Amino acid sequence: MTHCLNCGAERDADVCDSCGLATTAAEFSLRRKLLNRTAIFVLGGLAFVVASGRYPALELDEILIFVGVVFFLTLGLAIWVERRAIRHGEVEALKRIYFGLIPVPWLLAALLLANGAFDSARPHAERARVVGKFSMPGPVATRRLAVTSWRESGKLERVPVDRVDFDRTFTGDTVDVNIKDGLVGIPWVIGVSRH
Ligand SMILES: [Zn+2]
């Protein structure tokens, strides 16, 4: 007893009672669905990267690394499902997990946008000293100021900034990092002003 690759119904003959597709047709149907949903998932990943820059989280780099790992694990799952489908193996459970993960990057993008857009709390400024700056050009440019931390962790903060703040700030400057705490508790950076 296996599940139909197309509709997921249990079946014991080559032709599925439920949707009427033979094993090979069901395999093609599943692979087409996988391709379409993977396109939606990849677009969601791009949407997330773009959206994450709108109200940049203070811990943007950690968030991007975490989401990147989840993204590639999910793509790996898609490849695994397809490999099994080609061999006409059992994919029902894996397929459901994969399809369930498709909206995740879209939801995370919406979460970060809502976190900034509906944040009505007052901003607060944190005094810090710039110890380094780095930028990476590209379609979604990355600009960070490395500053001394005002938090208990005591590590350096990698503050995401826009081009204007980046260009007018220099290593050794003392700056105020203007921060809002975020609707869902993800602190984000409004900007940096030189002190
Ligand atoms: Zn079927």
Side-chain angles (χ1 to χ4, degrees), residues 15-167:
V15 174
C16 171
D17 286 338
S18 198
C19 66
L21 291 188
T23 310
T24 311
E27 178 206 320
F28 277 112
S29 161
L30 171 65
R31 290 174 69 189
R32 199 175 54 238
K33 255 186 250 172
L34 280 175
L35 197 64
N36 289 340
R37 301 214 188 175
T38 301
I40 294 170
F41 179 72
V42 171
L43 279 179
L46 291 174
F48 175 80
V49 171
V50 173
S52 68
R54 181 68 187 81
Y55 305 99
L58 181 57
E59 265 140 20
L60 184 57
D61 289 333
E62 285 85 348
I63 292 173
L64 286 174
I65 290 168
F66 173 76
V67 172
V69 169
V70 172
F71 182 84
F72 286 108
L73 286 177
T74 308
L75 279 187
L77 180 62
I79 293 168
W80 192 18
V81 172
E82 187 178 33
R83 289 280 154 83
R84 289 180 76 122
I86 291 171
R87 286 187 276 112
H88 298 167
E90 179 63 43
V91 299
E92 199 52 29
L94 292 177
K95 186 183 83 178
R96 284 183 190 197
I97 295 170
Y98 177 58
F99 286 174
L101 289 169
I102 301 290
V104 167
W106 292 99
L107 294 175
L108 290 176
L111 182 74
L112 280 192
L113 286 178
N115 182 62
F118 303 118
D119 181 2
S120 55
R122 291 159 61 87
H124 51 95
E126 303 289 353
R127 183 73 39 92
R129 195 166 49 80
V130 179
V131 296
K133 45 191 278 186
F134 47 91
S135 65
M136 199 172 66
V140 184
T142 303
R143 296 183 190 86
R144 304 280 187 272
L145 297 179
V147 306
T148 52
S149 183
W150 54 90
R151 295 189 287 184
E152 280 176 9
S153 71
K155 289 186 288 188
L156 289 180
E157 307 284 350
R158 293 153 59 95
V159 179
V161 288
D162 61 19
R163 179 198 290 271
V164 176
D165 284 348
F166 186 83
D167 288 344

